């Protein structure tokens, strides 16, 4: 029985000659048609099953294990193809007694497709979407399918021998190019698995509301670092690399930190410091270098600040340790804001001040403690300056909407009680007096003791005079004709 299944999954030698021979026989064409029908049938069946499952999941608002649901949806067709093809191979051999070729190639393809989709699902969950996009997924899938063709045609043996013959001398030892490539691949796979596990752990830790927010981020950073280090320590011996080589790497890293990497190390350590001393937390409102925003993310190297207009600033972690940072949410999340306005001089000021406080207190976002307050701040040329101050408990939602709602309420209340807003007023007086110095200087002086009367320009004709004169001239011209 073991030999039976070993031969089922054994790689065929001289595949090209076997394919040509299969296409020259009737049974070969029947086997190819059977393989194609199995692929199309299992693909159609997988689509039907996924449509039923999607209708069921749409009725549920939250999927408990989204990663597992995504993985099963990607693996359904390869699993069905693999199982149905194995059944077809058993039936074909028992009924005809002939060896199989196309069905065995289909089994290999289903197994390889299963492996590729598992790798892609892990990469999608381990690497952020902005770093692993569709282009990289297609490129990696193409590379893996090329590897499958090389393995199927036995060309991989020739390539492996060539890579092993190319050795790189390193001191007293030498590393083959094959060892370097396989070591890089294994270390990369180990790191990706570590990142995947750290991301799953991060999601679980960040949902633990009983823990402090900063403590959650500290635990996430420590776990991610430990998993990556453990993955490297496990992967290196698997490819035959002695761990003593890490001592040389550690010395080189120390020299690098002393020469040019101290800034990176400083940012990394500062990230743990600002999380441990609770000076900066996710959701805090910060003002750094005239940029005001809310903390949306704290990474190993920088802190992300997002302003109200959507722009984001990446602030290095050591900035929060060495420079002055204004944290509006350090001791309390609530923030104070105010509005100013001007009313006419005939306003009932106690009534106006009370309306300002009531309009602010009516809004749901305004805090009850401390209560809104209003004041008279001064008397200007056009009216009386009023000021209302209030505190809101969700400043991250912006101030424009709450200010607009309060102003609309004040406008409606002022209209009801007859309070007027002031507007700029100017009074202009035209003096035509002989004692006026401007007119006196322009008046004509007496000649030979004879007083002359001042002459003024004739006034401009009014609109009525101009239109009347125009009509009389038109009428005279008409009469002459």
């Amino acid at each position: 029985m073991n030999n039976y299944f070993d031969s089922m999954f054994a790689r065929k030698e001289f595949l090209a000659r076997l394919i040509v021979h299969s296409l020259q026989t009737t049974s070969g064409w029947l086997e190819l048609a059977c393989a194609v029908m199995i692929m199309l049938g299992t693909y159609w069946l997988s689509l039907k099953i996924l449509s039923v499952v999607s209708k069921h999941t749409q009725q549920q608002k939250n999927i408990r294990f989204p990663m597992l649901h995504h993985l099963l949806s990607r693996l359904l067709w390869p699993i069905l193809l693999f199982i149905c093809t194995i059944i077809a191979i058993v039936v074909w051999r028992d009924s005809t007694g002939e060896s199989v070729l196309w069905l065995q190639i289909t089994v290999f393809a289903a197994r390889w497709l299963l492996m590729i989709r598992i790798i892609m699902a892990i990469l999608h969950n381990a690497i952020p979407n902005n770093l692993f996009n569709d282009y990289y997924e297609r490129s990696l899938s193409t590379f893996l399918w090329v590897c499958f063709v090389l393995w199927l045609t036995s060309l991989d043996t020739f390539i492996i021998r060539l890579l092993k013959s190319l050795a790189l001398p390193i001191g007293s030892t030498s590393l083959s190019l094959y060892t370097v490539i396989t070591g890089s691949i294994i270390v990369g796979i180990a790191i990706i698995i570590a990142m995947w596990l750290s991301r799953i752990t991060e999601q679980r830790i960040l949902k633990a509301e009983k823990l402090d927010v900063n403590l959650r981020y500290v635990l996430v950073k420590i776990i991610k670092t430990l998993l990556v280090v453990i993955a490297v320590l496990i992967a290196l011996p698997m490819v035959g690399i002695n761990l003593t080589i890490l001592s040389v790497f550690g010395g080189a890293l120390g020299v690098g930190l002393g020469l040019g990497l101290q800034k990176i190390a400083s940012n990394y350590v500062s990230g743990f410091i600002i999380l441990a001393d609770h000076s900066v937390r996710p959701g805090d409102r910060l003002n750094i270098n005239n940029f005001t925003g809310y903390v949306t993310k704290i990474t190993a190297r920088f802190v992300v600040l997002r302003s109200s207009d959507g722009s984001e600033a990446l602030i290095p972690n050591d900035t929060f340790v060495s420079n002055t940072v204004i944290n509006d949410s350090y001791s309390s999340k609530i923030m104070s804001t105010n509005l100013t306005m001007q009313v006419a001089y005939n306003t009932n000021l106690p009534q106006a001040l009370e309306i300002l406080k009531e309009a602010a207190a009516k809004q749901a976002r305004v805090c009850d403690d401390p209560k809104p307050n209003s004041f008279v701040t001064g008397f200007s040329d056009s009216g009386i300056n009023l000021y209302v101050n209030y505190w809101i408990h969700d400043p991250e939602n912006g101030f424009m909407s709450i200010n607009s709602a309060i102003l609309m309420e004040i406008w409606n209340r002022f209209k009801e009680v007859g309070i007027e807003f002031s507007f700029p007023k100017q009074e202009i007086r035209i003096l035509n007096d002989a004692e006026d110095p401007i007119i006196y200087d322009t008046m004509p002086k007496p000649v030979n003791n004879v007083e002359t009367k001042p002459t003024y320009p004739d006034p401009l004709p009014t609109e009525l005079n101009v239109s009347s004169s125009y009509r009389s001239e038109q009428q005279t011209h008409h009469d002459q004709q």
Side-chain angles (χ1 to χ4, degrees), residues 326-381:
I326 300 175
N327 190 342
D328 297 327
S329 311
Y330 182 71
S331 59
S332 178
K333 186 180 178 182
I334 63 175
M335 285 191 61
S336 172
T337 185
N338 59 79
L339 292 172
T340 58
M341 61 199 64
Q342 199 174 80
V343 294
Y345 271 101
N346 60 353
T347 300
N348 184 350
L349 289 181
Q351 185 183 20
L353 294 175
E354 189 64 27
I355 289 176
L356 295 183
K357 290 189 290 185
E358 293 175 357
K362 188 177 180 181
Q363 308 303 320
R365 295 177 56 190
V366 176
C367 299
D368 296 331
D369 185 23
K371 296 182 178 180
N373 214 341
S374 57
F375 306 93
V376 177
T377 59
F379 301 96
S380 63
D381 296 335

Side-chain angles (χ1 to χ4, degrees), residues 264-274 300 317 321:
I264 298 177
S266 174
N267 286 326
Y268 190 79
V269 175
S270 299
F272 283 97
I273 293 175
I274 62 178
N317 290 333
V321 177

